[in-house]
Amino acid sequence: MFLDAAWTTISATLTYRNEGSFRYAALQQVGYENKQNIWRGRLKMAKKSQEQLPRQRIIKAARKLFDAKGFHATTTAELATEAAVSIGQIYRLFENKDDVIIALVEENTQARIAKMHAIFSAVEQDGHSVFEAIKAIAKDSIIKSDGGLSFEILAEACRNASVADRLNALVVCYRDGVRRLAALTRPDATAGELEAYVEIMMACFFGLGHRTLIAPASDVDKISHETACLLMRALGAPDQPAPPPS
């Protein structure tokens, strides 16, 4: 009877140990697979990052060189040297030099569209005034001017249909946003009046961006404020929003 009890205890212990070992091994396997998945994800992200780094360096170098020397005066060899890549790598990432300037336009487009959407959302959802929005756009136009590069892009758009298409996408989005602001300020305006307001505002914003080529803005806040006041008057609205009721 004693031996039976002892054997039962030993069997239960062995079973527990075996099951425990099995569970431990299973947990080890799960942990190993999870680690493998994590590392695969990290390797994929690292590979993607490595692929993007040369491309971003080329775009950054192009922005600098095209602005300083001009698009056509900049050679592919100079671009490769500035970006610390080989000429072959440029042609692996871009079909030709035209594709580089298209990438610049796309980068500018994405940045400007994101900025404009943030400004419009602030007006339509957060209760910010149109005056504040116009001032923000004016300020952004002055600060984020590309200088001579913008003229290089415009000139290339006249010669290259692909560049013109990308640039047109930026202008259309920009114009739609300005029209939204004008419509919020003057909901009573006719379609023709609204288009006239949009033309005036667009000319002003683009002009502010090009102004820095002639004379850098000494007081960005003051200029953007005065610009907003002027455009609000052109829209037939108060210079500044009325203070909230006390």
Side-chain angles (χ1 to χ4, degrees):
M1 194 169 179
F2 173 78
L3 290 174
D4 289 341
W7 175 247
T8 300
T9 303
I10 292 169
S11 297
T13 302
L14 289 172
T15 301
Y16 174 79
R17 285 178 178 175
N18 288 337
E19 288 179 353
S21 298
F22 176 77
R23 290 194 190 100
Y24 180 71
L27 287 172
Q28 276 190 318
Q29 180 64 25
V30 170
Y32 174 76
E33 288 175 356
N34 285 340
K35 285 181 179 178
Q36 286 287 92
N37 290 334
I38 290 169
W39 280 110
R40 284 194 197 100
R42 286 178 179 174
L43 286 171
K44 190 180 289 184
M45 289 176 65
K47 185 178 179 182
K48 186 176 180 182
S49 177
Q50 287 172 357
E51 289 173 351
Q52 287 296 320
L53 281 174
R55 179 181 173 84
Q56 289 305 314
R57 289 205 304 271
I58 293 165
I59 292 173
K60 184 178 179 180
R63 190 177 293 280
K64 176 182 177 180
L65 293 175
F66 294 172
D67 185 24
K69 297 186 62 177
F71 172 67
H72 290 284
T74 300
T75 66
T76 307
E78 288 172 328
L79 189 58
T81 301
E82 181 68 29
V85 298
S86 66
I87 293 175
Q89 194 165 24
I90 290 178
Y91 285 112
R92 281 194 294 272
L93 294 169
F94 300 93
E95 188 175 339
N96 49 46
K97 204 167 70 169
D98 288 349
D99 271 359
V100 179
I101 202 165
I102 288 172
L104 279 174
V105 173
E106 287 177 341
E107 191 176 82
N108 288 354
T109 299
Q110 291 169 3
R112 287 294 177 94
I113 287 174
K115 183 71 174 180
M116 291 289 282
H117 279 310
I119 292 171
F120 302 145
S121 296
V123 174
E124 295 174 342
Q125 298 174 14
D126 302 334
H128 287 204
S129 68
V130 175
F131 176 87
E132 291 169 320
I134 292 175
K135 182 178 176 180
I137 296 172
K139 187 173 184 178
D140 189 62
S141 298
I142 299 169
I143 293 174
K144 292 191 175 178
S145 172
D146 289 319
L149 179 60
S150 60
F151 286 104
E152 287 292 324
I153 291 173
L154 287 172
E156 193 57 27
C158 294
R159 297 184 286 261
N160 188 321
S162 297
V163 176
D165 288 342
R166 301 301 195 284
L167 194 59
N168 186 57
L170 169 61
V171 174
V172 167
C173 179
Y174 203 87
R175 188 182 185 87
D176 287 345
V178 171
R179 185 182 290 104
R180 282 163 64 186
L181 289 179
L184 284 171
T185 309
R186 290 296 305 271
D188 59 327
T190 65
E193 289 172 339
L194 199 58
E195 285 305 309
Y197 291 143
V198 171
E199 288 294 339
I200 293 170
M201 294 170 77
M202 290 281 289
C204 183
F205 294 140
F206 279 111
L208 285 172
H210 297 323
R211 176 189 183 279
T212 54
L213 287 174
I214 303 168
S218 56
D219 191 335
V220 175
D221 285 328
K222 182 180 178 182
I223 292 171
S224 57
H225 180 90
E226 290 175 348
T227 299
C229 288
L230 182 64
L231 288 178
M232 290 296 282
R233 286 181 213 144
L235 288 165
D239 283 2
Q240 297 186 50
S246 55

